Amino acid sequence: MKKSVKILWRVAFGILALLVLLVLLINFRIIGSMPSLEELENPRAALAAEVIADDGTILGKYYQVDRSSSDYNEISKNVINALIATEETRFYDNSGIDPKGTLAIPFYLLIGKKRGSSTITQQLALNLQTDNLGKTRSGNPIGRAFQKIQEWIIAVKLERNFTKQEILTLYLNTVAFGDNVYGIENGARTFFSKDAGHLSIEEAAILVGMLKGNTLYNPRRNPQNALQRRNTVISNMQEAGFITPAEAAAAKSKPIVLHYNKIDHNKGLAPYFREVLRDELKGWCKTHKKADGSEYNLYRDGLKIYTTINPRMQLYAEEAVAKHLAVLQKSLSAQNDVKTGSVWKKWPKYLDQYMKESDRYRAMKDDEADDSTIARAFNTPVRMKVFGWRSSTEPDLNEIDTTMTPLDSIKYMRAVLQAGFMAMDPESGEVKAWVGGPDFRYFKNDHVAKTRRQVGSTFKPFLYCFAIMNGMSPNTVLPNEPISINGWTPHNSEGSTGGTITMAGALAKSLNLVAAYLIKQIGAKPFADFAKNKVGFTSDIPAYPAIALGAVELSLYELMQGYTMFPARGINTKPIYITRIEDRNGNILETFAPVKREVISERESYTMVKMMEGVVAPGGTGARIRSRFNIQGEIAGKTGTTNDNTDGWFMGYTPKLLAGAWVGCENNFIHFSTTAIGQGANTGLPIWGYFMQKVYADPTLKISSNDHFPVPPNMSEDDIYMNYDSNVKPGAESENVGNGSADDYGSGDASDYATPGADSQEPAPAKPKEEHKENKDNKENKPKATMPAPAPKKGE
């Protein structure tokens, strides 16, 4: 044998030996980062956490990559056939590596063509490395060759440990379909709004066709390319014998029909709720461990979070908020001080602060622009997108292209009315609807749980309840006379003074002088102790007389919990919105039960229900619930309006449902100039009215105007009878006489709020709940309040 031939053989055997050694070193994980055998036996593709509504539908997801998982029998045969026909017709005949395809690569390279040799199992191996090790396909030839060897080894191991069906299923659960969508189930839901088991031939061909290039063949972005690719896949299915020529022709003749529904955290139902839930779940993951001792990962472990949110009620709530805010916003925007921007003249420091917090300002500072250049930029009109009410049912229409200065855009956006709305079952505590603001894309601050505002007269029912507990009766006659308590002299702002009225009538008309008389008789400290230690409010309840008029800052969420004791027969029930959390395999990790405790007796709670029914009766501050919205049946509630019409509230309940609404601006100095528009009966109450109209009209919800508050045993007609009569001397003429209702003016003026010797300070923007640290960095919440809540307004 010639010496050259010997050298050639030695080189060939040397290369082969090195290749075998390399394979062994990689296989035994001496070099590289091969998954362990245990990892291969239990592959864990990253799965998004799913937030599930009470009817089983998906409200949203938390993900780094948006992926869902399916079992083999949950995937349409059309998908399996399209995949085999297009990606690897010899899939069932190899053991993870296709020798024929691999050996053919050099010949294709010699004639200048590229040919993929990766089997479905090898592609799965790469996908698993991407998920478990964070690897992507290497662009370096040497690196790619090393990676290819790893894929071969993993592919062989996968074939040894899994059936062909399991490999196909795992592959389809890991592939990417573009738009950050992973997995066949999620691809089907996103592009066709159906599950993977019901995909037609042409729909399956679309999705499988995207595997060759999920951007190039994306039917949403490149419909013509997608159509051609789809028809190629259909032809492959025919050639492989999976479908007949007639079926292929019929499928090719159909146009691409998408029902695109990408789950976007900024869109969809209950975005504010999902964001609050996300923060809670992050904490849950830190305190709960998996079997291996590691923490759960909200974005990768495929958790399933079952919630109490009812999609139909949630939709009705969002529509109610949007419908009413769109109308209210016109009034506020037309108000002279808002329209001209003069409302900001007294608050230039806040405008300067918001400017410095903007991305534009920070970017210019990073570019070392001087202050004069920045000032010019903020006063120069530019094209931009802003929020504006165009539709209460199509949120995408509320993004408006316009031209204005960046400084004017700050003024504009800060004058957009905010709202919070929540509905719950008062006995079970289950939260059914949660709306934290007008549009989550633009306003991230949640006004249900994460913002405290002054509650005004919605706090008065607790005062009257405490009076009932201390021996008074709804029909006890009280004076509506001027009063002074240690220098504090509240007023009824509608002008009434003198005469007497029953407790039931005073609550219905929300008379401040009567509430002040009660706090003087009962004592501010005992009442504050009752609110904190009995009712259970965690916010500060200062023991000064003005708390009788609602000079207290609470979140809507906290106020809702306090109100549960009225319709729930004396039981205070903490709102609950998670029922259970499961892992990706359906194992229950934790269940959640309502926390209940008795606060008042059943008789006392029913007495308060009957008293609060007077609020929505003719002459009450919430009478328009009946006259304007024609809501029938047994309803009780309370309106609330704070100083200068800053905050408008309505808390209302039926025997089966408790709901509350708040309306106001982020900055307290931006508010309605007239009480006729800004009172709670005109801001918060209509949201409740629109919501309940749809709830009552939906028989699937099983909430009816025929429902009744259960009467406690041994209560006589005399116990239940409510006398709302009075001989109160009339004051200013009511603006709501046409509705047969009393005006809902508020809880006092600045002097009514302040305690003797307290310093007078400027009104401040909304104050977020401090325990939610994410709000401390939220621009929508700044600046923090520099004083307690603004003074309650008169006579609501």
Side-chain angles (χ1 to χ4, degrees):
M1 185 180 293
K2 293 184 179 180
K3 186 176 181 180
S4 59
V5 175
K6 289 182 179 180
I7 293 174
L8 182 62
W9 277 107
R10 286 174 182 171
V11 170
F13 279 113
I15 292 173
L16 181 62
L18 285 173
L19 182 61
V20 171
L21 179 62
L22 183 62
V23 169
L24 291 173
L25 291 174
I26 293 173
N27 180 59
F28 290 107
R29 305 171 71 190
I30 297 173
I31 62 173
S33 51
M34 272 281 295
S36 67
L37 182 60
E38 181 182 0
E39 289 171 324
L40 290 175
E41 289 174 344
N42 300 280
R44 297 181 61 81
L47 289 180
E50 295 180 340
V51 180
I52 301 169
D54 71 350
D55 66 349
T57 60
I58 295 177
L59 283 175
K61 299 180 180 182
Y62 306 120
Y63 55 82
Q64 290 170 334
V65 293
D66 189 1
R67 173 183 285 129
S68 293
S69 183
S70 297
D71 294 331
Y72 182 83
N73 58 8
E74 295 174 331
I75 302 172
S76 168
K77 290 295 182 184
N78 293 323
V79 175
I80 303 296
N81 294 340
L83 179 66
I84 298 298
T86 303
E87 293 293 321
E88 187 187 355
T89 55
R90 292 189 293 271
F91 172 73
Y92 291 105
D93 301 324
N94 63 55
S95 298
I97 300 173
D98 183 0
K100 187 183 295 186
T102 302
L103 292 174
I105 292 177
F107 298 100
Y108 277 89
L109 291 176
L110 287 174
I111 60 176
K113 291 184 178 181
K114 289 185 178 181
R115 183 185 189 276
S117 66
S118 291
T119 62
I120 289 174
T121 312
Q122 285 177 256
Q123 293 177 50
L124 170 59
L126 179 61
N127 292 344
L128 291 178
Q129 288 189 87
T130 300
D131 278 323
N132 293 327
L133 303 176
K135 288 186 175 183
T136 56
R137 186 182 295 269
S138 175
N140 181 288
I142 296 176
R144 180 60 189 141
F146 185 83
Q147 197 175 58
K148 198 72 176 178
I149 294 173
Q150 287 183 310
E151 289 173 23
W152 287 342
I153 297 171
I154 295 172
V156 171
K157 289 188 175 184
L158 287 171
E159 290 281 346
R160 288 179 178 176
N161 286 277
F162 294 96
T163 66
K164 289 290 188 179
Q165 285 187 354
E166 290 172 331
I167 289 172
L168 284 173
T169 303
L170 191 53
Y171 173 79
L172 286 168
N173 283 334
T174 58
V175 289
F177 290 100
D179 295 353
N180 200 28
V181 171
Y182 289 73
I184 186 63
E185 180 67 23
N186 214 25
R189 290 179 183 175
T190 299
F191 287 93
F192 301 108
S193 295
K194 60 170 63 174
D195 59 66
H198 292 88
L199 291 169
S200 63
I201 292 172
E202 60 274 11
E203 290 167 343
I206 283 284
L207 292 176
V208 170
M210 290 172 67
L211 301 181
K212 186 177 175 114
N214 53 42
T215 299
L216 180 62
Y217 300 114
N218 188 313
R220 185 175 65 87
R221 297 182 179 183
N222 299 301
Q224 192 57 43
N225 290 347
L227 180 65
Q228 293 173 359
R229 179 64 181 163
R230 181 201 72 173
N231 290 345
T232 298
V233 173
I234 293 172
S235 295
N236 293 340
M237 295 173 72
Q238 178 188 338
E239 291 173 9
F242 291 124
I243 58 176
T244 65
E247 289 174 322
K252 289 180 181 179
S253 68
K254 296 178 181 178
I256 294 178
V257 179
L258 296 180
H259 296 283
Y260 191 82
N261 183 29
K262 177 73 169 71
I263 294 180
D264 181 342
H265 189 62
N266 284 318
K267 299 179 181 179
L269 284 176
Y272 289 94
F273 168 77
R274 286 185 273 123
E275 188 62 23
V276 171
L277 182 63
R278 181 206 297 265
D279 293 334
E280 183 167 330
L281 290 170
K282 285 180 180 178
W284 185 92
C285 287
K286 289 180 179 180
T287 57
H288 292 73
K289 307 293 183 182
K290 292 183 281 189
D292 61 4
S294 63
E295 295 177 359
Y296 279 97
N297 187 312
L298 181 61
Y299 303 105
R300 294 182 59 86
D301 287 335
L303 296 175
K304 291 180 172 59
I305 301 95
Y306 290 85
T307 74
T308 62
I309 296 294
N310 180 280
R312 301 179 77 86
M313 284 199 203
Q314 180 65 34
L315 178 62
Y316 299 155
E318 292 181 6
E319 289 178 347
V321 169
K323 182 176 182 178
H324 190 52
L325 285 191
V327 174
L328 275 181
Q329 188 65 53
K330 293 178 181 178
S331 298
L332 183 65
S333 298
Q335 199 167 281
N336 187 62
D337 60 344
V338 174
K339 187 176 182 179
T340 63
S342 62
V343 70
W344 291 93
K345 287 183 179 178
K346 293 182 180 179
W347 319 107
K349 65 179 183 180
Y350 291 149
L351 195 57
D352 184 62
Q353 177 181 336
Y354 300 142
M355 179 186 75
K356 290 179 178 178
E357 290 172 347
S358 69
D359 293 336
R360 185 187 300 271
Y361 181 91
R362 289 171 176 167
M364 294 187 74
K365 273 297 184 182
D366 289 342
D367 291 338
E368 300 182 349
D370 57 45
D371 290 344
S372 61
T373 301
I374 294 175
R376 283 196 302 272
F378 271 82
N379 284 281
T380 302
V382 294
R383 295 289 300 174
M384 64 176 67
K385 291 181 183 294
V386 297
F387 172 82
W389 286 111
R390 285 182 173 173
S391 173
S392 60
T393 57
E394 298 291 336
D396 288 342
L397 299 179
N398 295 328
E399 190 169 71
I400 298 173
D401 289 307
T402 188
T403 299
M404 65 173 68
T405 70
L407 204 61
D408 284 340
S409 74
I410 293 174
K411 296 177 182 178
Y412 172 85
M413 294 295 280
R414 299 298 297 190
V416 172
L417 282 168
Q418 304 295 306
F421 181 86
M422 177 177 155
M424 64 180 288
D425 181 324
E427 293 209 31
S428 71
E430 293 186 354
V431 176
K432 297 301 180 183
W434 181 305
V435 184
D439 191 310
F440 189 74
R441 293 173 300 174
Y442 285 93
F443 308 100
K444 302 298 187 186
N445 191 20
D446 172 70
H447 291 291
V448 172
K450 294 187 176 180
T451 303
R452 290 192 179 108
R453 298 293 288 240
Q454 193 189 79
V455 296
S457 290
T458 58
F459 202 65
K460 287 179 181 176
F462 302 106
L463 173 67
Y464 282 81
C465 180
F466 191 53
I468 295 292
M469 295 170 68
N470 280 274
M472 293 189 181
S473 158
N475 300 317
T476 298
V477 177
L478 302 175
N480 182 50
E481 298 287 350
I483 190 170
S484 178
I485 306 175
N486 298 326
W488 176 59
T489 56
H491 306 84
N492 290 334
S493 71
E494 86 288 357
S496 71
T497 184
T500 59
I501 189 170
T502 63
M503 278 216 322
L507 180 61
K509 296 179 184 299
S510 202
L511 298 178
N512 285 345
L513 292 180
V514 177
Y517 174 83
L518 281 175
I519 199 74
K520 186 174 184 178
Q521 301 303 309
I522 294 170
K525 188 177 186 308
F527 175 50
D529 288 342
F530 167 73
K532 287 189 289 187
N533 302 322
K534 193 72 171 176
V535 180
F537 289 116
T538 57
S539 297
D540 183 40
I541 310 291
Y544 49 65
I547 60 175
L549 310 186
V552 174
E553 285 185 317
L554 300 172
S555 69
L556 174 58
Y557 180 90
E558 194 172 1
L559 188 58
M560 288 281 287
Q561 179 174 346
Y563 263 68
T564 59
M565 71 186 197
F566 301 130
R569 292 173 286 184
I571 304 298
N572 179 296
T573 307
K574 183 178 181 180
I576 180 175
Y577 42 79
I578 306 174
T579 56
R580 70 183 187 276
I581 299 175
E582 295 181 357
D583 66 13
R584 66 172 64 198
N585 299 314
N587 299 310
I588 297 176
L589 303 177
E590 186 171 359
T591 58
F592 299 81
V595 178
K596 299 184 176 186
R597 54 191 180 80
E598 186 175 356
V599 176
I600 56 178
S601 71
E602 189 175 354
R603 287 175 63 92
E604 289 162 346
S605 70
Y606 188 75
T607 299
M608 287 306 303
V609 169
K610 300 306 289 184
M611 286 181 68
M612 295 170 73
E613 284 181 337
V615 173
V616 297
T621 58
R624 65 183 72 187
I625 276 291
R626 308 286 195 187
S627 61
R628 176 178 169 185
F629 295 96
N630 196 31
I631 304 294
Q632 302 303 312
E634 296 189 8
I635 302 169
K638 188 68 190 78
T639 54
T641 313
T642 62
N643 185 48
D644 296 326
N645 313 304
T646 301
D647 306 283
W649 295 83
F650 183 72
M651 303 292 291
Y653 54 89
T654 71
K656 291 183 178 178
L657 195 65
L658 166 66
W662 165 86
V663 174
C665 284
E666 291 283 4
N667 294 90
N668 288 355
F669 54 83
I670 303 177
H671 50 72
F672 289 104
S673 58
T674 67
T675 301
I677 299 176
Q679 61 178 304
N682 193 59
T683 57
L685 181 148
I687 295 174
W688 197 96
Y690 289 132
F691 172 73
M692 286 305 301
Q693 282 178 339
K694 291 200 171 185
V695 168
Y696 276 155
D698 188 339
T700 67
L701 300 177
K702 299 180 180 179
I703 295 175
S704 168
S705 59
N706 295 321
D707 297 331
H708 298 284
F709 293 106
V711 181
N714 302 321
M715 283 196 81
S716 66
E717 288 295 324
D718 290 340
D719 293 328
I720 298 172
Y721 171 71
M722 295 289 146
N723 177 13
Y724 303 111
D725 293 338
S726 72
N727 63 353
V728 170
K729 296 178 181 178
E733 183 178 355
S734 171
E735 297 180 54
N736 291 320
V737 290
N739 292 328
S741 63
D743 272 342
D744 175 13
Y745 278 96
S747 310
D749 59 21
S751 64
D752 291 337
Y753 172 84
T755 53
D759 294 332
S760 176
Q761 300 183 48
E762 64 193 29
K767 183 179 180 181
K769 290 180 71 173
E770 294 178 356
E771 60 263 34
H772 295 279
K773 64 181 181 180
E774 69 275 18
N775 270 9
K776 293 182 179 179
D777 299 322
N778 192 315
K779 298 176 186 177
E780 294 298 318
N781 288 329
K782 298 177 181 178
K784 299 291 189 290
T786 57
M787 62 171 284
K793 195 173 164 51
K794 299 178 185 177
E796 172 259 318

